[in-house]
Amino acid sequence: MQQSRSDSYAAAGVDITAGYKAVELMKTHIAKTMTAGALSDIGGFGGLFELDLTGITRPVLVSGTDGVGTKLKLAFLMDKHDTVGIDCVAMCVNDIVCCGAKPLFFLDYIACGKNVPEKIAGIVSGVAEGCVQSGAALIGGETAEMPGFYPIDEYDLAGFSVGVVDKEKVFDKNTIKEGDVIIGLPSSGVHSNGFSLVRKVLDVENCDLKAPMAELGGASLGETLLTPTRIYVKTILALMESVSIKSVSHITGGGFYENIPRSLPKGMTAKIKEADVPVLPIFKLIEEKGNIPRREMFNTFNMGVGMTVVVGREEADKAMAALEAVGEKPVRLGEIVAGDEGVILW
């Protein structure tokens, strides 16, 4: 690529040689994500993946796409860019595993005002870490330098993932019945949703993001808000080996009230004991500073539960034990009852 250079393009604000340098810097991170199916080196026109269907009778491909949203504003303010890639991967693969699919590969898209190779490589290092955590290969991506469209110090980050599941193993919410148990998997924090409200309520642009806060156990607001989204893929895939999962819900924007009903059949409602929700200090801070009604908190944030799983009552104890065996700290949130309320918090 040494012959590829355009002074005219550089004068317009796009340095194509910076793109080549960024690719070279990110290759080490990408190498960590390579799985048996990944066939192509980074930098080609398309990402190749050889599908291994051993043990799968009726393969179903499952895809998911998402971005990081305005959480990126915190990364800009903190000048810390090596964790938001984990968020990007998490938002995609956590959705994929909600039907029992194993993520196969991931592609990212970064659009920026100015391509600073070291910053881009830092972003991709987070993407690679998310891929390692989920078992997906990072087989390609795109970095677009767009001067005049994005401020020179800002960027957007989005991604796309594909997974596979045997059709007979897809979680079937229609098997849910009264008395089934709802298990919650703890979140690591705000994850990647509700940050427009968070930024407004906590006035992040005008406060000291690095100062320790007693309300957060001595952690700073900046590091607390930038804590990456948890990736639940390996946990759910392991649980599938022990019990029959009926449904899974990824608690993202819309909180409990929007996401949990999506994993329930008509006529069934999730009855959850609010006192059993492991509400994290950051949510208490947001609620207090913004004077936000408790119902709206549960309708916007994960409140400390990033994913819920429904299993039969007869398998609840076994599921809890299996989750604890893989290092989880599951909580029994409640049970399924008849009704069309979707979610009842009591």
Side-chain angles (χ1 to χ4, degrees), residues 9-222:
Y9 210 0
V14 177
D15 183 358
I16 57 178
T17 60
Y20 304 144
K21 182 179 179 182
V23 169
E24 288 302 314
L25 290 174
M26 67 178 72
K27 281 185 176 180
T28 301
H29 304 300
I30 295 167
K32 297 185 298 184
T33 76
M34 290 298 99
T35 61
L39 300 180
S40 60
D41 291 329
I42 201 73
F45 290 99
L48 278 65
F49 192 92
E50 183 177 11
L51 192 59
D52 182 0
L53 299 178
T54 304
I56 299 178
T57 305
R58 301 178 65 187
V60 176
L61 295 179
V62 184
S63 59
T65 185
D66 210 335
V68 183
T70 62
K71 183 174 185 174
L72 291 176
K73 287 286 188 180
L74 271 299
F76 304 155
L77 291 168
M78 295 286 288
D79 194 22
K80 181 174 173 56
H81 311 282
D82 60 349
T83 61
V84 289
I86 300 175
D87 292 291
C88 189
V89 175
M91 298 307 293
C92 298
V93 298
N94 282 345
D95 280 353
I96 285 175
V97 82
C98 280
C99 64
K102 170 182 169 54
L104 298 172
F105 58 82
F106 188 86
L107 291 89
D108 60 22
Y109 174 78
I110 304 169
C112 58
K114 180 176 177 58
N115 186 335
V116 179
E118 293 76 13
K119 180 187 286 189
I120 299 300
I123 297 167
V124 174
S125 74
V127 174
E129 173 59 26
C131 287
V132 169
Q133 290 183 26
S134 61
L138 179 55
I139 63 171
E142 174 70 14
T143 301
E145 191 172 17
M146 301 168 66
F149 194 87
Y150 290 95
I152 61 171
D153 293 327
E154 296 190 3
Y155 56 86
D156 197 7
L157 173 62
F160 172 85
S161 188
V162 171
V164 66
V165 61
D166 198 322
K167 189 173 183 179
E168 66 179 23
K169 294 183 179 180
V170 174
F171 302 148
D172 184 2
K173 67 180 182 181
N174 292 310
T175 63
I176 291 176
K177 63 180 185 298
E178 286 188 80
D180 286 345
V181 173
I182 306 162
I183 297 173
L185 303 180
S187 70
S188 57
V190 185
H191 283 185
S192 300
N193 303 102
F195 271 86
S196 294
L197 179 57
V198 170
R199 289 167 42 240
K200 178 183 177 182
V201 166
L202 300 181
D203 193 21
V204 298
E205 281 84 2
N206 298 299
C207 69
D208 186 352
L209 291 171
K210 298 183 179 181
M213 296 185 66
E215 301 97 317
L216 300 176
S220 72
L221 181 60

Side-chain angles (χ1 to χ4, degrees), residues 163-286:
V164 66
V165 61
D166 198 322
K167 189 173 183 179
E168 66 179 23
K169 294 183 179 180
V170 174
F171 302 148
D172 184 2
K173 67 180 182 181
N174 292 310
T175 63
I176 291 176
K177 63 180 185 298
E178 286 188 80
D180 286 345
V181 173
I182 306 162
I183 297 173
L185 303 180
S187 70
S188 57
V190 185
H191 283 185
S192 300
N193 303 102
F195 271 86
S196 294
L197 179 57
V198 170
R199 289 167 42 240
K200 178 183 177 182
V201 166
L202 300 181
D203 193 21
V204 298
E205 281 84 2
N206 298 299
C207 69
D208 186 352
L209 291 171
K210 298 183 179 181
M213 296 185 66
E215 301 97 317
L216 300 176
S220 72
L221 181 60
E223 67 180 301
T224 299
L225 292 177
L226 270 185
T227 300
T229 305
R230 281 200 63 204
I231 292 177
Y232 300 95
V233 170
K234 294 180 180 178
T235 294
I236 296 299
L237 294 180
L239 184 61
M240 288 174 64
E241 300 299 318
S242 300
V243 301
S244 177
I245 298 175
K246 297 190 175 186
S247 76
V248 174
S249 178
H250 184 198
I251 311 303
T252 55
F256 282 41
Y257 286 103
E258 181 177 316
N259 291 289
I260 295 177
R262 294 167 60 186
S263 65
L264 304 176
K266 293 187 66 174
M268 291 290 130
T269 290
K271 185 178 181 181
I272 295 172
K273 188 175 182 180
E274 187 175 326
D276 290 337
V277 178
V279 179
L280 295 170
I282 184 62
F283 296 114
K284 296 176 182 178
L285 180 66
I286 294 167

Side-chain angles (χ1 to χ4, degrees), residues 333-346:
L333 294 176
E335 64 178 7
I336 301 297
V337 298
D340 291 315
E341 293 93 337
V343 173
I344 297 174
L345 281 174
W346 64 284

